[in-house]
């Protein structure tokens, strides 16, 4: 018999969201008829808006006619790569530096192949679970601090440091996963913080995987939407991004990664050339239908729709934040991100999760599921129908 991949034994049991789903089923079975409202997961709920939807329809129709049929698009349709560079990066990247993908999560998984098993990783603590679990699967021995595993460093991001890590603790020669606007804390790094991050990465030989999946939620014009707004970032950072949260493409699947030509390994080899090779070898490109939708999303009408959709979710976020603050609960986020990070000092996150589910029939995400520094927090997600969010906010009053 063939042996199991030993990395599988290193991964924590029960990925966070399946565990929440299990507890939801358990609660629903014990309380038949209860209307549970989810403010837990980051899945989008609102329909794709008409102009962008029209792009998807056109993409499908084009496949049905000889004149417009298309097959593999390899690293992505050139016109989409060009448009992404123009819209998000002021045209500073060539087509061969923008790689279209089936989503940011998939790219985060595949990017690990560039560096191989045993590459040390560092994460903001708390962080989006894929950075840790993906690193463990790729062979960085991992797990919670104190679990006896080595290979993954957790850099606490707490109220005390304004949710920005102490960069003096960043290990040398590691991959550092950095997410801004942050999932789960909702914090957005400013220019000075990102400049300090870039400087530290260059000094320490670190490559930053910058996850900008929520950049379109930034409303404060002074905050950076991309790490490439910082001089020097091309030498030390890969950026992953996605149409999922700005355009409602969670079920369509479309994202991109930018791998600048300036980015080199310790031996001077090109990271960009290797990424091109990996994409051509184990990934045959994103769906042409999804890419037609992506092209429409980046037209001026599409960009207006992105604004409209993200405004809607930010409206939900404001309702949630106001309801929580009205109860005297300290929370951050929700102004430039769709997540609200609520603090319950001295309490266990899963216990708070259970109390909110029990008293309000509202589903949240326990902060400890995102890392040890998430203990005593729960995350509220602004992805939901307005009527449900309003009802959930009313029910939160039962926590008084
Ligand atoms: N990055 C972050 C920080 C996320 O929160 C998510 C989804 O919740 C993703 C990436 C996944 O994006 P995609 O749908 O493009 O795979």
């Amino acid at each position: 018999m063939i042996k199991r991949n030993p990395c599988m034994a290193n991964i924590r049991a029960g990925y966070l969201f399946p565990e929440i789903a299990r507890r939801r089923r358990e609660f629903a079975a014990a309380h038949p008829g209860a209307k549970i409202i989810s403010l837990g997961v980051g899945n989008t709920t609102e329909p794709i808006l008409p102009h962008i939807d029209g792009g998807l329809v056109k993409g499908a129709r084009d496949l049905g006619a000889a004149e417009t049929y298309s097959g593999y698009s390899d690293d992505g349709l050139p016109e989409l790569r060009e448009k992404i560079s123009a819209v998000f990066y002021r045209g500073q990247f060539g087509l061969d530096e923008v790689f279209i993908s089936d989503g940011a999560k998939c790219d985060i998984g595949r990017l690990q192949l560039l560096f191989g098993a045993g590459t040390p990783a560092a994460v903001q603590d708390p962080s989006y679970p894929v950075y840790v679990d993906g690193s463990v699967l790729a062979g960085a021995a991992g797990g919670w601090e104190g679990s006896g595993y080595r290979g993954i460093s957790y850099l606490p991001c707490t109220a005390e440091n304004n949710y920005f890590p102490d960069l003096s603790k960043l290990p040398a020669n590691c991959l550092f996963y950095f997410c801004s606007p942050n999932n789960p804390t909702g914090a957005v790094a400013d220019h000075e913080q990102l400049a300090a991050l870039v400087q530290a990465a260059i000094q320490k030989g670190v490559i930053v995987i910058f996850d900008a999946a929520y950049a379109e939620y930034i409303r404060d014009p002074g905050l950076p939407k991309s790490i490439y707004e910082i001089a020097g970032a091309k030498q030390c950072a890969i950026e992953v991004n996605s149409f999922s949260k700005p355009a409602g493409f969670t079920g369509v699947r479309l994202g991109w990664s930018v791998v600048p030509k300036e980015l080199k390994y310790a031996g001077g080899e090109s990271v960009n050339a290797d990424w091109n090779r990996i994409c051509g070898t184990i990934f045959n490109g994103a769906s042409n239908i999804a890419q037609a939708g992506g092209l429409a999303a980046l037209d001026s009408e599409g960009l207006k729709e992105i604004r409209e959709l993200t405004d809607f979710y930010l409206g939900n976020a404001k309702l949630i934040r106001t309801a929580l603050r009205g109860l005297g609960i300290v929370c951050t986020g929700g102004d430039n991100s769709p997540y609200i990070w609520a603090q319950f000092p001295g309490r266990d996150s899963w216990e708070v999760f259970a109390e909110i589910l029990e008293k309000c029939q509202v589903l949240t995400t326990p902060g400890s599921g995102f890392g040890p520094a998430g203990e005593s927090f729960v995350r509220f997600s602004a992805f939901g129908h307005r009527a449900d969010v309003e009802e959930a906010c009313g029910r939160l009053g039962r926590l008084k």
Side-chain angles (χ1 to χ4, degrees), residues 8 20 37 61 131 173 224 241 320:
M8 292 303 301
I20 292 171
I37 299 176
R61 287 279 166 271
Y131 310 145
N173 307 317
N241 210 323
I320 298 166

Side-chain angles (χ1 to χ4, degrees), residues 103-105 128 131 179 183 211 213-214 242 244-245 253:
K105 192 186 209 176
Y128 180 48
Y131 310 145
C179 178
N183 176 9
D211 186 338
Y214 297 98
S242 170
S244 284
K245 307 305 166 97
R253 310 306 306 145

